[in-house]
């Protein structure tokens, strides 16, 4: 979600791997210190990547790259490796949210840090599979988080992998969660898709996002003002220890202010959806290295909050196989309602190509998801309300290809709609009239859910067009958009 989210500075995370040797092989990285500019490296066009003379960690140059609101400034190179071999990857970095990792056949390793102006060494390890011949080593920052620097990248390998054991101990920060003290709220088992206009019992059809890291508005304040009982809580991220769920990456998942607010809403018959991911911060989907670790993190978040509804908001690359494996097991064990909130590429295209791949993998695994395109911040022509409808229709067309065996009614029930009210980050403005246009589309097609970003912005505190996390930027009455969309009942 492109809404601003305040994050504290996270401590560096070091993921330990299987490397046990003491000898060091030669560095396999080409131009590791960027002394030859970007030779050997490929960087995203929008990154503005260059070799700079200051600041540097060693030598005379280092990499500087700048993420934008839609590009995390990735620089990468592909390196030949030997199968069944353990490698250690490291780099010196500085800046806000710098990521280092490697991907390839049976390889997915990543670590990150938020060191600010201090040079910090990131290290991670991986073991290649029996058929792995190359890996892609990469560095990137995080959307809109300023320039990052990297230097002295090293891939040290040549150590035969240890014999596999029946189980692998989790890395630091990835210990299985303790048994939950709060049981999840009951949820109906998955059943056949409902007829149009008849949502199944317990289904949430309207749940606006609320940045729960901010103290106001509270869930109960919003409920008392509007009568709306369901909300999507944004966002659960990994904390400074790694694969441990927290609000915004900094607030404990069991923070009393938040949990007491949720309990008060639930006591009034309300319920919440836990949203992971978002526009900023260390995704659980990144820092949890295995499906089992990610599953444990999801369970801990849901059990602490007391819900069985999960929204996975993806605005960066993820290991779709790992994430969908964890989600499928979660759904099989608990019947969890799962939605994927995804970026829209254009009004006539639908969600972006990587999002399509995530959904294709989910479908192949038999994972049941609600597809929730972010109807915000995409290029368009003509009326904005109609452009949002066009983007929803284009997404529906993509879903027809991914799930060819579903009926039209079933597919529409799998579709969510999430605009950004008022001024969007990249210029479009969602007015009350646009909201009603989208509502009419939802009512006519009986979509699965409506949401919006965000309840904290649903007021007229900045009618001058300001882009703010605490007001919509347009003239409106308090909770006006909440009341408009609350008319939707499925």
């Amino acid at each position: 979600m492109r809404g601003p989210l305040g994050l504290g500075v996270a401590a560096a995370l070091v993921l330990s791997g299987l490397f046990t040797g003491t000898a060091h092989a030669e560095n396999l990285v080409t131009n590791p210190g960027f002394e030859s500019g970007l030779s050997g490296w490929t960087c995203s066009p929008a990154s503005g990547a260059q070799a700079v003379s200051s600041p540097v960690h060693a030598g005379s140059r280092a990499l500087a790259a700048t993420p934008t609101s839609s590009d995390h400034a990735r620089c990468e190179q592909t390196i030949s490796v030997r199968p069944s071999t353990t490698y250690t990857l490291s780099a010196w970095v500085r800046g806000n949210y710098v990521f280092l990792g490697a991907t390839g056949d049976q390889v997915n390793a990543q670590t990150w840090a938020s060191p600010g102006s201090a040079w910090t060494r990131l290290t991670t390890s991986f073991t290649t599979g029996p058929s792995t011949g190359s890996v892609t080593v990469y560095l990137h920052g995080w959307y809109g988080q300023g320039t990052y620097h990297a230097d002295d990248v090293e891939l040290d390998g040549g150590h035969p992998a240890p014999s596999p054991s029946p189980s692998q101990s989790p890395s630091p920060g990835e210990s299985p969660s303790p048994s939950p003290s709060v049981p999840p709220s009951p949820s109906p088992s998955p059943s056949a898709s409902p007829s149009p206009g008849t949502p199944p019992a317990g289904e949430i059809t309207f749940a606006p996002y609320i940045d729960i890291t901010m103290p106001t508005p509270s869930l109960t304040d919003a409920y008392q003002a509007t009568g709306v009982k369901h909300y999507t809580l944004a966002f659960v991220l990994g904390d400074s220890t790694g694969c441990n769920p927290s609000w915004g990456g900094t607030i404990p998942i069991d923070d009393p202010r938040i949990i007491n607010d949720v309990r008060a809403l639930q006591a009034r018959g309300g319920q919440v959806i836990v949203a992971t991911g978002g526009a900023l911060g260390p995704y659980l989907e990144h820092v949890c290295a295995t499906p089992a670790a990610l599953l444990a993190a999801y369970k801990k978040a849901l059990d602490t909050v007391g819900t069985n509804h999960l929204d996975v908001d993806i605005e960066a690359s993820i290991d779709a196989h790992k994430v969908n494996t964890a989600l499928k097991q979660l759904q099989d064990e608990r019947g969890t309602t799962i939605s994927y909130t995804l970026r829209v590429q254009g009004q006539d295209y639908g969600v972006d190509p990587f999002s399509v791949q995530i959904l294709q993998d989910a479908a192949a695994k038999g994972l049941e998801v609600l597809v929730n395109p972010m109807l915000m911040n995409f290029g368009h022509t003509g009326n904005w309300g109609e452009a949002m409808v066009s983007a929803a229709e284009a997404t529906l067309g993509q879903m027809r290809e991914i799930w060819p065996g579903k009926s039209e009614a079933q597919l529409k029930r799998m579709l969510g709609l999430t605009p950004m009210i008022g001024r969007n980050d990249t210029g479009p403005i969602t007015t009350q009239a646009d909201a009603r246009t989208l509502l009419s589309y939802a009512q006519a097609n009986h979509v699965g859910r409506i949401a919006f970003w965000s309840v904290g912005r649903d007021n007229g505190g900045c009618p001058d067009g300001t882009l703010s996390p605490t007001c919509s930027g347009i003239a409106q009455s308090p909770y006006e958009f909440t009341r408009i969309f609350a008319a939707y009942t499925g």
Side-chain angles (χ1 to χ4, degrees), residues 26-109:
E26 74 279 5
N27 186 4
L28 302 180
V29 177
T30 299
N31 189 23
F34 303 92
E35 301 299 316
S36 300
L38 298 182
S39 176
W41 295 88
T42 300
C43 299
S44 58
S47 66
Q50 59 182 314
V52 297
S53 58
S54 178
V56 300
H57 174 257
S60 60
R61 291 191 176 185
L63 170 69
T66 305
T68 67
S69 61
S70 59
D71 179 89
H72 52 22
R74 176 169 166 139
C75 291
E76 64 184 30
Q77 68 170 265
T78 300
I79 301 171
S80 296
V81 293
R82 293 192 296 271
S84 302
T85 302
T86 297
Y87 291 86
T88 299
L89 175 65
S90 65
W92 287 88
V93 301
R94 66 193 297 275
N96 294 328
Y97 297 105
V98 190
F99 291 74
L100 171 71
T103 61
D105 180 22
Q106 303 180 65
V107 172
N108 184 55

Side-chain angles (χ1 to χ4, degrees), residues 81 102-109 126 128-129 132-138 319:
V81 293
T103 61
D105 180 22
Q106 303 180 65
V107 172
N108 184 55
F126 60 88
T128 54
T132 308
S134 65
V135 296
T136 298
V137 171
Y138 63 85
D319 180 345

Side-chain angles (χ1 to χ4, degrees), residues 107-122:
V107 172
N108 184 55
Q110 186 184 77
T111 185
W112 66 275
S114 183
S117 61
W119 284 102
T120 297
R121 188 170 187 254
L122 291 178

